[in-house]
Amino acid sequence: MKYEDLAKDIVQNIGGEENVTNLVHCATRLRFNLKDNRLPDKEKLKSLEGVLSVVESGGQFQVVIGNDVAHVYQEIVKTSKLGAGNSASADADQPKEKILSRIFAVISGSLSPLLPAMAGAGILKAFLTLFTTFGWVSAESGTYLILAAAANAVFYFLPIFLGVTAATKFGANPYVGGVIGAALMEPNFTGLLANGDKTSFLGIPVVLMDYSSTVFPVFVAIWIFSYVEKFLKKIIHKELQTFLVPLLSLAIIVPLTAMIFGPFGVYIGNAIADGINYLMGVSGLLTGAVIGGLIFFLVVFGLHWGIIPIVLANLSKGTDPILAMWAASNFAMAGVALGVFLKSKEKTLKSIAGSSTLSLLLAGVSEPTVYGILLRFKRTMPYVIIAGAIGGAINGGFHTYATAFVFQNIFSIGAFEPVSYYLVGIAAAMGIGLVLTILLGYQDKKAVSVTEASAAAPTAEGQAVPAKASSNSTGDSPSLKKEVLLSPLTGDVKSLTEVPDPAFAEGAMGKGIAIVPSVGQAVSPVNGTIGTILKSGHAVVLLSESGAEVLIHIGVNTVQLKGQYFTPRVKEGDQVRKGDLLIEFDLEKIKEAGYNPITPIIISNTDDYLDVIETTSSTVTAQDKLLTLVV
């Protein structure tokens, strides 16, 4: 994979550098904040080699890369003005996000840059636990204490780091944000706890708390700080802002944090953590089954970020049960991925499954499995739910817990207690996921029948000649069924290999044909339903009554026209008949703008068919026979 080319293609198809207001990356995803979420060409992004999936969640447009995300991110930074915490430009017209989406966006954007440090430090703490358990290192030795300092620092001083990253996310001065977090850790402040849990500020009572390892107080404080800073910049002369804005911000926010925001944030975090612990007390078995079985759905939508602050709140008080129950889902996915690896004979899928298994076992990263296997082969999802629920129930029932924040993998086993029960839970989850995949398979029945059937070979006349078919239970030979697609356009017929776009030319999107249109109208080639029609009007997906998924993509890179010269005549969900007008487009204007109008017509679910037979004609008129799908 050429990271430089992939980086350029992603930025281009995200709507261009000018459409990006912020970019960060986590363990597997590029996380974009966009001015206009309508501009990205999702289908093109998904088709790029190296892209596993595209997800819109938490107010972000997320491009899932996998383990190579850091390399792709670095290339984007090199070739553009984008970077962590940097905006290409601010835009007052940026679409308003829902409150819940904004909350998740802030949490994910603030924690993403810290995850590598937290994960590395967490595993170091796990190793130290193992070293002391086996007597290899004394807990009083200088070696242990130095390594413990390295392992504990990011968690103890978490308010400082979060002050920086949260301020960046809110668009405020990150260094002042870091100072606000640091004030909660400064010896003069923490020393007040030696005299009790109360003090005063200008005669106003202040409830003192230990803010080490806390999350919610900093989020609240920095959120308020972002508004205070903006207000101060409006009323203070520009020449005086350099020192007056930070001075007044610190003088206002730090006391307010000590008096109000800090305790309020701690109470919120403790309440949520206590709620989880209460459920564990009522039924650890049930709580573990729910978390272990269903948490991967949160990963799919990027909503698992909302759980991490709860985990950290638990760990600030000593231990956390959620990571142990969560681990069952990770190991269940590892079992499924390993099962696909063992059963598959396809080299590409085998490679994806193998790397996904290693990613989970060695790093605790689940996205490659989620997007490379589970969403591709939906039959495997119940396996993960069942295996994760059983493993989670075991870990929850035996009240296993984490002693440090870690990615759940084989190297972090030492961070969980009681370790023997934890091992039983994750082994059960992985084993069940593996056995279910081996015994029941990973493809749905239709895909299996297509894979196992003999392919129908087209003759010179373009007619399908089936190979010998197996008999069914009645002894009759099943006959092949056909679905005929009519041409949506009038123009010259071309092979997909002539489309100047690798995603289409190499068949990554599916089999099909291309037409160079001579008339600016696209009509329906089937009787069916409009599944998707892009607001830009350059592409439409139809679902035929017989089950074909038909993509009509007018022109190459025409998404960059942002809807100019395209007029959709249907909307999502509309029922259409063959010949109904779908899109009108100004063919000459598109050409004048420098875009190639060649239009691929793709069968997106090609794997559901034995063959896709193209017309032998060199030109077609709309409603002529174009493709024959053999079932």
Side-chain angles (χ1 to χ4, degrees), residues 43-67:
E43 297 304 320
K44 179 64 181 294
L45 285 166
K46 290 178 183 177
S47 72
L48 295 175
E49 181 185 357
V51 174
L52 295 176
S53 186
V54 174
V55 178
E56 286 189 82
S57 180
Q60 293 182 324
F61 192 94
Q62 305 168 9
V63 180
V64 184
I65 303 294
N67 295 333

mmCIF file of all heavy atoms in Angstrom, residues 43-67:
data_model
loop_
_atom_site.group_PDB
_atom_site.id
_atom_site.type_symbol
_atom_site.label_atom_id
_atom_site.label_comp_id
_atom_site.label_asym_id
_atom_site.label_seq_id
_atom_site.Cartn_x
_atom_site.Cartn_y
_atom_site.Cartn_z
ATOM 1 N N GLU A 43 -18.774 6.071 -1.275
ATOM 2 C CA GLU A 43 -18.527 4.854 -2.043
ATOM 3 C C GLU A 43 -17.089 4.820 -2.551
ATOM 4 O O GLU A 43 -16.444 3.771 -2.547
ATOM 5 C CB GLU A 43 -19.516 4.770 -3.211
ATOM 6 C CG GLU A 43 -20.971 4.660 -2.780
ATOM 7 C CD GLU A 43 -21.196 3.470 -1.866
ATOM 8 O OE1 GLU A 43 -20.605 2.403 -2.122
ATOM 9 O OE2 GLU A 43 -21.957 3.599 -0.887
ATOM 10 N N LYS A 44 -16.583 5.955 -2.983
ATOM 11 C CA LYS A 44 -15.202 6.003 -3.468
ATOM 12 C C LYS A 44 -14.236 5.753 -2.312
ATOM 13 O O LYS A 44 -13.255 5.020 -2.457
ATOM 14 C CB LYS A 44 -14.937 7.372 -4.106
ATOM 15 C CG LYS A 44 -13.503 7.539 -4.637
ATOM 16 C CD LYS A 44 -13.208 6.568 -5.767
ATOM 17 C CE LYS A 44 -11.772 6.739 -6.264
ATOM 18 N NZ LYS A 44 -11.559 8.045 -6.893
ATOM 19 N N LEU A 45 -14.527 6.351 -1.164
ATOM 20 C CA LEU A 45 -13.665 6.138 0.000
ATOM 21 C C LEU A 45 -13.621 4.674 0.393
ATOM 22 O O LEU A 45 -12.555 4.108 0.661
ATOM 23 C CB LEU A 45 -14.142 6.991 1.177
ATOM 24 C CG LEU A 45 -13.833 8.483 1.103
ATOM 25 C CD1 LEU A 45 -14.639 9.246 2.149
ATOM 26 C CD2 LEU A 45 -12.345 8.748 1.293
ATOM 27 N N LYS A 46 -14.788 4.038 0.441
ATOM 28 C CA LYS A 46 -14.842 2.625 0.827
ATOM 29 C C LYS A 46 -14.099 1.743 -0.169
ATOM 30 O O LYS A 46 -13.606 0.672 0.192
ATOM 31 C CB LYS A 46 -16.296 2.166 0.931
ATOM 32 C CG LYS A 46 -17.070 2.762 2.102
ATOM 33 C CD LYS A 46 -18.515 2.291 2.081
ATOM 34 C CE LYS A 46 -19.313 2.925 3.205
ATOM 35 N NZ LYS A 46 -20.748 2.526 3.164
ATOM 36 N N SER A 47 -14.033 2.195 -1.414
ATOM 37 C CA SER A 47 -13.406 1.381 -2.455
ATOM 38 C C SER A 47 -11.882 1.509 -2.464
ATOM 39 O O SER A 47 -11.210 0.718 -3.124
ATOM 40 C CB SER A 47 -13.954 1.780 -3.822
ATOM 41 O OG SER A 47 -13.461 3.057 -4.221
ATOM 42 N N LEU A 48 -11.359 2.488 -1.753
ATOM 43 C CA LEU A 48 -9.908 2.700 -1.768
ATOM 44 C C LEU A 48 -9.190 1.532 -1.094
ATOM 45 O O LEU A 48 -9.597 1.082 -0.019
ATOM 46 C CB LEU A 48 -9.554 4.002 -1.053
ATOM 47 C CG LEU A 48 -10.051 5.298 -1.695
ATOM 48 C CD1 LEU A 48 -9.714 6.477 -0.798
ATOM 49 C CD2 LEU A 48 -9.432 5.482 -3.071
ATOM 50 N N GLU A 49 -8.140 1.063 -1.708
ATOM 51 C CA GLU A 49 -7.344 0.011 -1.089
ATOM 52 C C GLU A 49 -6.714 0.552 0.196
ATOM 53 O O GLU A 49 -6.039 1.581 0.193
ATOM 54 C CB GLU A 49 -6.233 -0.454 -2.037
ATOM 55 C CG GLU A 49 -5.381 -1.565 -1.459
ATOM 56 C CD GLU A 49 -4.210 -1.938 -2.348
ATOM 57 O OE1 GLU A 49 -4.101 -1.357 -3.449
ATOM 58 O OE2 GLU A 49 -3.415 -2.797 -1.944
ATOM 59 N N GLY A 50 -6.959 -0.132 1.278
ATOM 60 C CA GLY A 50 -6.464 0.329 2.564
ATOM 61 C C GLY A 50 -7.549 0.908 3.443
ATOM 62 O O GLY A 50 -7.330 1.100 4.642
ATOM 63 N N VAL A 51 -8.727 1.180 2.876
ATOM 64 C CA VAL A 51 -9.860 1.682 3.662
ATOM 65 C C VAL A 51 -10.794 0.521 3.963
ATOM 66 O O VAL A 51 -11.275 -0.153 3.050
ATOM 67 C CB VAL A 51 -10.618 2.795 2.908
ATOM 68 C CG1 VAL A 51 -11.876 3.191 3.676
ATOM 69 C CG2 VAL A 51 -9.711 4.003 2.721
ATOM 70 N N LEU A 52 -11.055 0.281 5.257
ATOM 71 C CA LEU A 52 -11.936 -0.812 5.655
ATOM 72 C C LEU A 52 -13.395 -0.406 5.616
ATOM 73 O O LEU A 52 -14.259 -1.183 5.244
ATOM 74 C CB LEU A 52 -11.577 -1.286 7.067
ATOM 75 C CG LEU A 52 -10.203 -1.923 7.237
ATOM 76 C CD1 LEU A 52 -9.951 -2.261 8.693
ATOM 77 C CD2 LEU A 52 -10.102 -3.175 6.383
ATOM 78 N N SER A 53 -13.687 0.825 6.032
ATOM 79 C CA SER A 53 -15.076 1.278 6.045
ATOM 80 C C SER A 53 -15.109 2.776 6.281
ATOM 81 O O SER A 53 -14.088 3.407 6.569
ATOM 82 C CB SER A 53 -15.865 0.553 7.143
ATOM 83 O OG SER A 53 -17.228 0.880 7.084
ATOM 84 N N VAL A 54 -16.313 3.325 6.167
ATOM 85 C CA VAL A 54 -16.563 4.737 6.449
ATOM 86 C C VAL A 54 -17.743 4.808 7.404
ATOM 87 O O VAL A 54 -18.761 4.153 7.188
ATOM 88 C CB VAL A 54 -16.876 5.522 5.162
ATOM 89 C CG1 VAL A 54 -17.274 6.959 5.490
ATOM 90 C CG2 VAL A 54 -15.663 5.531 4.230
ATOM 91 N N VAL A 55 -17.587 5.591 8.486
ATOM 92 C CA VAL A 55 -18.625 5.678 9.514
ATOM 93 C C VAL A 55 -18.856 7.143 9.848
ATOM 94 O O VAL A 55 -17.910 7.910 10.003
ATOM 95 C CB VAL A 55 -18.216 4.924 10.799
ATOM 96 C CG1 VAL A 55 -19.290 5.067 11.861
ATOM 97 C CG2 VAL A 55 -17.956 3.464 10.507
ATOM 98 N N GLU A 56 -20.119 7.529 9.956
ATOM 99 C CA GLU A 56 -20.477 8.849 10.467
ATOM 100 C C GLU A 56 -21.068 8.669 11.846
ATOM 101 O O GLU A 56 -22.127 8.059 11.992
ATOM 102 C CB GLU A 56 -21.485 9.525 9.538
ATOM 103 C CG GLU A 56 -20.881 10.024 8.240
ATOM 104 C CD GLU A 56 -21.863 10.869 7.449
ATOM 105 O OE1 GLU A 56 -21.990 12.068 7.752
ATOM 106 O OE2 GLU A 56 -22.502 10.315 6.538
ATOM 107 N N SER A 57 -20.369 9.184 12.862
ATOM 108 C CA SER A 57 -20.841 9.003 14.227
ATOM 109 C C SER A 57 -20.170 10.022 15.136
ATOM 110 O O SER A 57 -19.050 10.454 14.891
ATOM 111 C CB SER A 57 -20.517 7.585 14.722
ATOM 112 O OG SER A 57 -20.970 7.388 16.023
ATOM 113 N N GLY A 58 -20.884 10.371 16.209
ATOM 114 C CA GLY A 58 -20.311 11.284 17.197
ATOM 115 C C GLY A 58 -19.931 12.625 16.617
ATOM 116 O O GLY A 58 -19.021 13.283 17.114
ATOM 117 N N GLY A 59 -20.635 13.061 15.538
ATOM 118 C CA GLY A 59 -20.312 14.342 14.934
ATOM 119 C C GLY A 59 -19.071 14.317 14.075
ATOM 120 O O GLY A 59 -18.576 15.358 13.650
ATOM 121 N N GLN A 60 -18.548 13.112 13.800
ATOM 122 C CA GLN A 60 -17.332 12.998 13.008
ATOM 123 C C GLN A 60 -17.567 12.139 11.776
ATOM 124 O O GLN A 60 -18.438 11.264 11.756
ATOM 125 C CB GLN A 60 -16.207 12.368 13.834
ATOM 126 C CG GLN A 60 -15.711 13.223 14.973
ATOM 127 C CD GLN A 60 -14.571 12.543 15.709
ATOM 128 O OE1 GLN A 60 -14.560 11.332 15.868
ATOM 129 N NE2 GLN A 60 -13.616 13.329 16.154
ATOM 130 N N PHE A 61 -16.770 12.383 10.743
ATOM 131 C CA PHE A 61 -16.730 11.535 9.556
ATOM 132 C C PHE A 61 -15.470 10.686 9.707
ATOM 133 O O PHE A 61 -14.357 11.196 9.639
ATOM 134 C CB PHE A 61 -16.672 12.385 8.289
ATOM 135 C CG PHE A 61 -16.917 11.613 7.037
ATOM 136 C CD1 PHE A 61 -18.191 11.545 6.495
ATOM 137 C CD2 PHE A 61 -15.892 10.938 6.403
ATOM 138 C CE1 PHE A 61 -18.428 10.830 5.338
ATOM 139 C CE2 PHE A 61 -16.113 10.218 5.257
ATOM 140 C CZ PHE A 61 -17.395 10.155 4.709
ATOM 141 N N GLN A 62 -15.657 9.385 9.936
ATOM 142 C CA GLN A 62 -14.546 8.513 10.301
ATOM 143 C C GLN A 62 -14.195 7.586 9.149
ATOM 144 O O GLN A 62 -15.053 6.872 8.629
ATOM 145 C CB GLN A 62 -14.911 7.693 11.532
ATOM 146 C CG GLN A 62 -15.348 8.545 12.717
ATOM 147 C CD GLN A 62 -15.980 7.731 13.814
ATOM 148 O OE1 GLN A 62 -15.959 6.501 13.788
ATOM 149 N NE2 GLN A 62 -16.548 8.408 14.800
ATOM 150 N N VAL A 63 -12.941 7.594 8.753
ATOM 151 C CA VAL A 63 -12.437 6.696 7.720
ATOM 152 C C VAL A 63 -11.603 5.632 8.421
ATOM 153 O O VAL A 63 -10.562 5.920 9.011
ATOM 154 C CB VAL A 63 -11.586 7.454 6.682
ATOM 155 C CG1 VAL A 63 -11.075 6.493 5.610
ATOM 156 C CG2 VAL A 63 -12.406 8.567 6.039
ATOM 157 N N VAL A 64 -12.091 4.399 8.397
ATOM 158 C CA VAL A 64 -11.451 3.306 9.135
ATOM 159 C C VAL A 64 -10.334 2.716 8.282
ATOM 160 O O VAL A 64 -10.574 2.198 7.188
ATOM 161 C CB VAL A 64 -12.481 2.226 9.497
ATOM 162 C CG1 VAL A 64 -11.826 1.148 10.354
ATOM 163 C CG2 VAL A 64 -13.657 2.843 10.235
ATOM 164 N N ILE A 65 -9.100 2.782 8.790
ATOM 165 C CA ILE A 65 -7.922 2.316 8.066
ATOM 166 C C ILE A 65 -7.398 1.003 8.629
ATOM 167 O O ILE A 65 -7.006 0.107 7.917
ATOM 168 C CB ILE A 65 -6.791 3.371 8.116
ATOM 169 C CG1 ILE A 65 -7.284 4.708 7.541
ATOM 170 C CG2 ILE A 65 -5.558 2.872 7.386
ATOM 171 C CD1 ILE A 65 -7.609 4.674 6.083
ATOM 172 N N GLY A 66 -7.397 0.882 9.961
ATOM 173 C CA GLY A 66 -6.783 -0.282 10.592
ATOM 174 C C GLY A 66 -5.441 0.081 11.180
ATOM 175 O O GLY A 66 -5.197 1.225 11.570
ATOM 176 N N ASN A 67 -4.554 -0.906 11.219
ATOM 177 C CA ASN A 67 -3.276 -0.707 11.906
ATOM 178 C C ASN A 67 -2.349 0.291 11.219
ATOM 179 O O ASN A 67 -1.396 0.782 11.820
ATOM 180 C CB ASN A 67 -2.545 -2.047 12.046
ATOM 181 C CG ASN A 67 -3.292 -3.010 12.941
ATOM 182 O OD1 ASN A 67 -4.036 -2.590 13.816
ATOM 183 N ND2 ASN A 67 -3.116 -4.301 12.721
#
